[in-house]
Amino acid sequence: MSFSPSNAGLSASMSALAGTIGNQRAGSFAQLGTTFLTRLPAAPLPAPHVVGFSAETAALLGFDSSIAQDPTFAEFFSGNTTRDWPAQALPYATVYSGHQFGVWAGQLGDGRALGLGEVEHDGTRLELQLKGGGRTPYSRMGDGRAVLRSSIREYLCSEAMHHLGIPTTRALCVIGSDQPVRREEVETAAVVTRVAPSFVRFGHFEHFYSNDRVDALRSLADHVIERFYPALKEADDPYLALLGEAVRSTADLMVEWQAVGFCHGVMNTDNMSILGLTIDYGPFGFMDAFDANYICNHSDNQGRYAYRMQPQIAYWNLFCLAQGLLPLFGGRYEESVRGERAVQDAQRVLEGFKERFAPALERRMREKLGLETAQPGDDQLANSLFEIMHANRADFTLTFRHLARLSKRDASGDAPVRDLFLDRAAFDTWAAGYRTRLAHETRDDASRAIAMNRVNPKFVLRNHLAETAIRKAKEKDFSEVERLAAVLRRPFDEQPENEAYAALPPDWASSLEVSCSS
Ligand code: AMP
Ligand code: MG
């Protein structure tokens, strides 16, 4: 597909960039056809301007970092030029279904996301999607828009998560506009360009299962296998093996989230990536004060998606995925026993979640505590730390970060972490146990600290940091968005010049509520 600058109103360099995005390549999601998606242009966005731009994500796509300065960049990534695209190459909204808050919700779909197509660069193919690009056939009661506030949060967090080493969709840019959008109050519209190898969700499979479209279900599974797990084609049961990959990648993702105190907020099955990526940033939050029952989404009255629930919910969601894939399982069995065997196989594969998650979390906790060897009781040591953190509402990020300063020998390095606990005696008791345990380690304090600082970030996207950047952006000052993004790209570095970004939240932050509306 190519765009002529005259009809699309793009500069020569933007036109060249647009020409690298294709949505008709063999093997691409878009090629699955009309059963899976509806093609339509984006809704016009008046006077679009660049709010944020990730040069890093641009580089992944082979885009030059200077492109954001192009006067037609915002025009293109607002979706405004898509009205000139030929019908067969228009952007597309995909159909999916899902379980929301544990209840079957029926058909959902991309209500405000439009796939532009994919870019192949350095041997990898990445899909681009405009989130907030306007109404689609799947918008239901929604307006198809996203607001500036939530778009900045998604942009900052997806880039931050990537640099924490956590699988996630990425963000190329945020494009803003003065177009009003009504939420709890009137805000303004924005479009985030998200980038990922695939945006396929558990809910895509559930959709075709619930509609009894086994042919479409198989095409979708074949697409994911072909693109991401081609080796599975040789497995006894490729579709069961695909479930196994989802179990593995989702379990690994839960380890990552739990280890940094990240709460997703809306772990509905339509917000779960088949590749185990963090996807759909809405009312997410990194915990400041540790509370195992922390709920970041104030619409989640039951606490279904509370911090401590996330791994269990992921497991529950995998059951939904397994059910969606069920008609594809058991191809190698005789017809008469196929159904029964397929269920048994699926149950066995799902069991793999626990086998993968628990030991991986234990390993990660040992790393976070700076323990090189595995000893009986390490589990208990980690759990009792979480218990006193919970009881004292100790800051999640700083507790682990400051722990690296503890000395093996004496309490000389305790103060920074100890001061996070109101109940100093409880901390001292725990620290004594920790020191006893450290005595069994050969590594010296300095090298232990270096290793710990590589797994315990100093900088995470605390709510109040995002809020500060958003408040300035609403005043048309986007400098804080980029400054914060730059800090979050080096979460494990000391960055003494950015100490303020690592500090405990200010008093005003405690009144911040993150709503589900985005
Ligand atoms: P979420 O839980 O935010 O991931 O969204 C659930 C469903 O609602 C998905 O199908 C979204 O595409 C859709 N949706 C969310 N917000 C909007 C909106 N403003 N306009 C249209 N659809 C939306
Ligand atoms: Mg969603």
Side-chain angles (χ1 to χ4, degrees):
M1 178 178 46
S2 62
F3 299 87
S4 98
S6 57
N7 75 32
L10 297 178
S11 70
S13 34
M14 268 314 296
S15 188
L17 180 150
T20 68
I21 305 172
N23 65 24
Q24 293 169 303
R25 284 198 191 117
S28 65
F29 185 92
Q31 279 308 293
L32 289 171
T34 52
T35 305
F36 297 84
L37 51 89
T38 304
R39 289 190 184 268
L40 74 165
L45 190 71
H49 53 261
V50 180
V51 171
F53 170 76
S54 166
E56 252 189 46
T57 306
L60 288 179
L61 297 164
F63 299 168
D64 197 278
S65 60
S66 66
I67 199 72
Q69 267 86 57
D70 187 294
T72 59
F73 179 87
E75 200 59 21
F76 183 78
F77 285 105
S78 63
N80 280 347
T81 61
T82 59
R83 59 177 169 257
D84 298 323
W85 293 18
Q88 74 281 6
L90 281 172
Y92 52 91
T94 76
V95 64
Y96 54 79
S97 295
H99 284 83
Q100 297 184 315
F101 290 89
V103 179
W104 176 245
Q107 183 185 306
L108 301 165
D110 293 325
R112 53 173 168 173
L114 287 173
L116 285 182
E118 48 175 48
V119 167
E120 182 164 355
H121 180 66
D122 275 353
T124 31
R125 291 163 74 168
L126 290 168
E127 285 185 39
L128 282 76
Q129 200 180 60
L130 301 181
K131 180 172 177 179
R135 289 185 55 86
T136 77
Y138 316 109
S139 299
R140 296 172 297 149
M141 307 300 281
D143 57 11
R145 286 300 184 194
V147 295
L148 181 67
R149 165 179 53 83
S150 68
S151 303
I152 289 175
R153 282 169 51 84
E154 166 141 9
Y155 168 72
L156 289 172
C157 199
S158 55
E159 290 302 287
M161 292 290 264
H162 171 75
H163 289 280
L164 286 167
I166 303 178
T168 178
T169 60
R170 301 288 301 266
L172 173 68
C173 59
V174 180
I175 304 299
S177 163
D178 290 340
Q179 186 179 71
V181 174
R182 187 170 296 279
R183 293 293 179 261
E184 277 100 343
E185 44 193 70
V186 176
E187 303 186 46
T188 58
V191 175
V192 188
T193 300
R194 307 199 274 201
V195 176
S198 171
F199 292 99
V200 172
R201 301 146 189 270
F202 290 8
H204 279 103
F205 295 95
E206 291 180 278
H207 180 75
F208 296 106
Y209 169 79
S210 76
N211 286 295
D212 223 7
R213 293 290 307 269
V214 180
D215 51 339
L217 187 62
R218 184 172 287 111
S219 302
L220 181 63
D222 286 342
H223 162 76
V224 175
I225 291 171
E226 184 66 44
R227 281 295 298 276
F228 305 103
Y229 304 111
L232 299 189
K233 287 189 283 187
E234 310 304 321
D236 287 343
D237 186 333
Y239 304 112
L240 194 64
L242 175 61
L243 176 65
E245 291 296 336
V247 166
R248 177 193 54 75
S249 61
T250 304
D252 290 353
L253 184 65
M254 291 308 110
V255 171
E256 300 292 346
W257 286 2
Q258 298 307 96
V260 294
F262 174 79
C263 293
H264 181 281
V266 200
M267 288 178 71
N268 294 336
T269 57
D270 53 298
N271 290 338
M272 299 291 293
S273 151
I274 191 67
L275 300 182
L277 308 173
T278 312
I279 190 170
D280 276 15
Y281 291 88
F284 69 84
F286 280 89
M287 261 184 281
D288 297 310
F290 178 63
D291 173 359
N293 302 311
Y294 178 67
I295 304 164
C296 63
N297 175 356
H298 80 164
S299 318
D300 181 7
N301 306 318
Q302 310 288 318
R304 179 179 172 84
Y305 300 139
Y307 169 78
R308 70 179 173 83
M309 297 294 291
Q310 296 189 126
Q312 267 167 266
I313 291 290
Y315 186 50
W316 192 92
N317 288 343
L318 284 161
F319 267 80
C320 295
L321 175 66
Q323 181 167 43
L325 287 168
L326 203 56
L328 304 182
F329 297 157
R332 64 200 151 127
Y333 300 122
E334 297 270 326
E335 182 82 47
S336 59
V337 295
R338 188 171 295 159
E340 191 187 333
R341 292 285 173 84
V343 170
Q344 287 165 358
D345 281 353
Q347 282 169 339
R348 182 174 43 77
V349 170
L350 287 166
E351 278 302 299
F353 182 89
K354 296 179 203 158
E355 289 155 21
R356 177 116 186 156
F357 174 75
L361 186 64
E362 268 176 45
R363 262 197 313 279
R364 177 58 58 84
M365 285 313 302
R366 247 185 249 117
E367 286 170 9
K368 287 180 77 70
L369 293 174
L371 305 175
E372 272 188 308
T373 62
Q375 306 265 341
D378 287 351
D379 233 23
Q380 184 47 35
L381 186 69
N383 288 339
S384 55
L385 176 60
F386 278 123
E387 277 163 29
I388 59 166
M389 283 168 67
H390 176 85
N392 288 269
R393 296 293 187 267
D395 186 80
F396 190 100
T397 306
L398 288 181
T399 298
F400 284 103
R401 186 71 181 187
H402 289 337
L403 214 47
R405 304 205 210 164
L406 228 84
S407 154
K408 234 167 145 166
R409 253 158 241 89
D410 53 48
S412 59
D414 286 12
V417 56
R418 185 175 186 263
D419 289 349
L420 297 169
F421 293 79
L422 213 56
D423 183 352
R424 303 290 205 278
F427 177 78
D428 292 339
T429 305
W430 184 83
Y434 181 45
R435 255 187 278 279
T436 306
R437 174 64 184 81
L438 287 178
H440 298 281
E441 294 279 311
T442 52
R443 210 158 41 173
D444 64 22
D445 283 343
S447 33
R448 188 185 77 250
I450 291 169
M452 289 173 78
N453 286 345
R454 276 201 286 260
V455 289
N456 296 319
K458 177 167 175 173
F459 302 97
V460 296
L461 182 58
R462 294 175 185 269
N463 267 332
H464 76 277
L465 298 176
E467 184 62 24
T468 303
I470 290 164
R471 285 181 189 175
K472 288 193 178 158
K474 284 182 174 172
E475 306 294 320
K476 294 268 166 24
D477 173 0
F478 308 127
S479 59
E480 187 58 21
V481 172
E482 285 313 340
R483 196 178 143 82
L484 180 53
V487 173
L488 296 171
R489 280 193 186 104
R490 298 161 54 211
F492 300 107
D493 292 358
E494 274 302 316
Q495 305 189 49
E497 69 284 13
N498 291 317
E499 205 60 42
Y501 290 85
L504 290 171
D507 287 342
W508 61 263
S510 57
S511 61
L512 281 179
E513 268 189 345
V514 178
S515 85
C516 209
S517 77
S518 56

